[in-house]
Amino acid sequence: MFESNNNNTRPQAGGDSPPCLSSSSSAHSGDTTESIRPSARPGPDDGDGDEELERCSTHHSLGPDMPVEPVSSVIEIPDEVYDRLPAHRKLIIVFLLSFCSFLAPISSTSVLAATPEVAAEYNTTGSIVNIVNALYMLFMGLSPMFWGPLSQVYGRRVTTVVTAVGFLACSIGTALAPNLGAFFVFRLLTAFEGTSFILIGAAVIGDMYRPTERGTATGWFLSGTLVGPALGPFIGGIIVTYTSWRVIFWLQTALAGIAAIGSYFLLPETIYHKKIDDLVGYSGAAKAKVLLGMLNPWRVMVLWEYPNLLLTGISSASLVWNMYSLLTPIRYVLNPRYNLTTPMQGGLFYLAPGCGYLLGTFIGGRYADFVVKQYIKKRGMRIPEDRMYSALPFMGIVIPGCVLIYGWSVEKNVGGIPLTVVMLFLQGVAQLFCFPSLNTYCLDVMPGRGAEVIAGNYVIRYLFACAGTAVVLPAIESIGVGWFSTISALFVFSGTVCAWVSIKWGKKWRRQVDAKRKRRATKKMVLGEKNSGDHLAGEGGNSRHNARSAKGSPVGGGPLTTPGMQQSKEEV
C-alpha cells in the first residue's frame, strides 16, 4: 500500500555520517565486514521480532580525540536501507505501531468522562482530577527528551519493548490505585512510558520508508495518535454509564498487554546506525562520560538552535492545543447546552472529530507525498521544507474557520447539534492533512537524527497540550466558548505563519547553523589538541633523557601522538 520501488530522489550526502561506504558496498571495521544490501527474509523458524536487520555498525570508537557528534544536519543514508523489509512486513509494523500509539492518547482523555466518579471515589473535586489530566500531558511532553536519545543509542526495538511492559504495569497500578496519591503516580508514569510509542513509531517510519513515501505511512500511523483522544471519552462514557470507572483502566491494561506482545514478536530493529557502536574501544570513565552525553535529554532541546525546528514545533503545538482544548470541555459545554443527561450522550460528540481523523488518514498522508513529488518535478531535487506546503491551506483557513464557527454557534446557540457535529468533523479531517506533513518533515530534515528531532517536536506540542487542558475550563467559564475559540483559531493561524516562514527560510537557516556548529567543533578540537600538545611537551621536557635512550624513540623532536590518536591510526 505504501511501498514504491521507484527511487524518486536520493538523500543528500554530507555531514558526518557513520563510516559506512556507498550503497552498494560493504562496511569494513577491524576484522568484521557488514554488507548493507537488503537482508534475506527470515525463514519459517525465525521469530518475527528477534531477527536483526542489517545495519551500519562501526564496531570501533572514533577515538577519544575525535568527536562522536555530527555537526551537520545532513547524514548520508544509502537508498538500499529502505528495501531491507518487504512491503507487507512494513504494513504490519505500521499498523502495530499505530495501535501502540493509540494507547497513551486514549488514556489521556478516556478518564474525562469519568471525572465526577473518580472525584467521588477519592473524596476530592473535579478540579483536582483535572490537574492530574493536565500533568498527564506535561509528562507526555517531558518524556520524549529521554526516549528519543535512548532509541538513537540502543535502538528502537528494545526501547519499545521495555516501555510497553512499563506501560502495562502502570495501567494495572492505576486500575488498582487505593488512594488519590497512588492514582496520581501511576497515571503520570503511564504518560511517561506511553509517549515512547508515538515517538519511536515515527522514527521507525523514517527508518523504513523513503522520503517520498513517508507521508502516506505517517498518515496511517497518526490515525492511532489522533483517533485515541477522540474515542477515549466516548468509550469512557459508555463504561461509566454502566459500570465502574476502574474498568476503563482494566481495558487499557488488556490493550497494553496486546501492544507488549506484539512489539516483542513483530517489531524488528530498524535503526540504521546505533550510537552505542561508537563506544566500542572506550573504557571506564571515558566511556561513561560519552554515553551520558549521548543520553542527555538536553540533546533534544539543543536542536532548537535550528529556527526551522523550533517554528515547526510551534506549528504542531498550535494543532495539538486546538485538539485538546476542543475535546476536553465537550461534556461540560455541550451537555448543558443541549440538555444531555448521561456521560454516554456527551461522549457521542467525540465521534465526530474521531471520524474526521479516521477519514483524513486515507487522504492526508497521500496528499503530502503527492505535493512532495510535484515539487521534485518542479525543482529537479527534493527540499524537505516543500512538504509543508500541503498543510498551509488547512492550517490557515479550514481549521481556524471550523473552530470559529463551532465556538460562536455554541455561544449564541445557533445551528444546534448538526452544525456542531459538522464543524467538529471537518476540523478533524483537516488536522490529518497537517500532522503527516509536519511529522514527516521532522524525519526528512535531519536524516539519521529523526528520533531526536521528532522528540523535540513532541516536547513542544505536548507542553502546549498540557497548557490547553489546564486552562480551557477556567477560560470558558471566564470569557465564554466563543472568545476562547477565537483565541485558539488565532493560535492555529500563527502556527501557519511559523510553517510558512520555515518553508521560506528553512534551508538557509539549516546551512547557517551547520556552519556555526562546524566552526564550534573545529575550535574545540584545535583547543583540545593544543592542550594535549602542551601537556605532552611538558612531560617530554622532564623525561627527555629517558625518551632518547629508549629503543626506537626519535632522537630529535619526533612527532608525538596521544593514545587516542595512535589508536585511531592503527584502526584506520
Side-chain angles (χ1 to χ4, degrees), residues 477-558:
E477 291 174 357
S478 175
I479 63 176
V481 65
W483 282 112
F484 184 80
S485 296
T486 303
I487 293 172
S488 294
L490 289 174
F491 187 22
V492 174
F493 185 80
S494 67
T496 309
V497 175
C498 290
W500 181 83
V501 170
S502 295
I503 294 171
K504 189 75 174 177
W505 290 289
K507 183 178 179 181
K508 176 182 176 182
W509 286 336
R510 285 188 282 116
R511 289 178 174 175
Q512 290 176 343
V513 176
D514 283 347
K516 185 165 65 173
R517 288 164 67 93
K518 286 178 181 178
R519 287 195 299 269
R520 285 204 304 259
T522 302
K523 183 178 179 180
K524 183 178 179 181
M525 188 180 299
V526 170
L527 289 175
E529 290 176 353
K530 182 180 178 181
N531 293 335
S532 177
D534 291 343
H535 175 70
L536 290 174
E539 290 183 351
N542 294 330
S543 58
R544 186 172 295 136
H545 175 75
N546 293 335
R548 289 181 177 178
S549 62
K551 183 178 180 179
S553 63
V555 177

Side-chain angles (χ1 to χ4, degrees), residues 363-378:
I363 309 170
R366 292 181 183 275
Y367 179 67
D369 283 342
F370 171 77
V371 169
V372 170
K373 292 173 183 177
Q374 292 300 113
Y375 274 94
I376 290 174
K377 292 179 181 179
K378 178 180 178 181

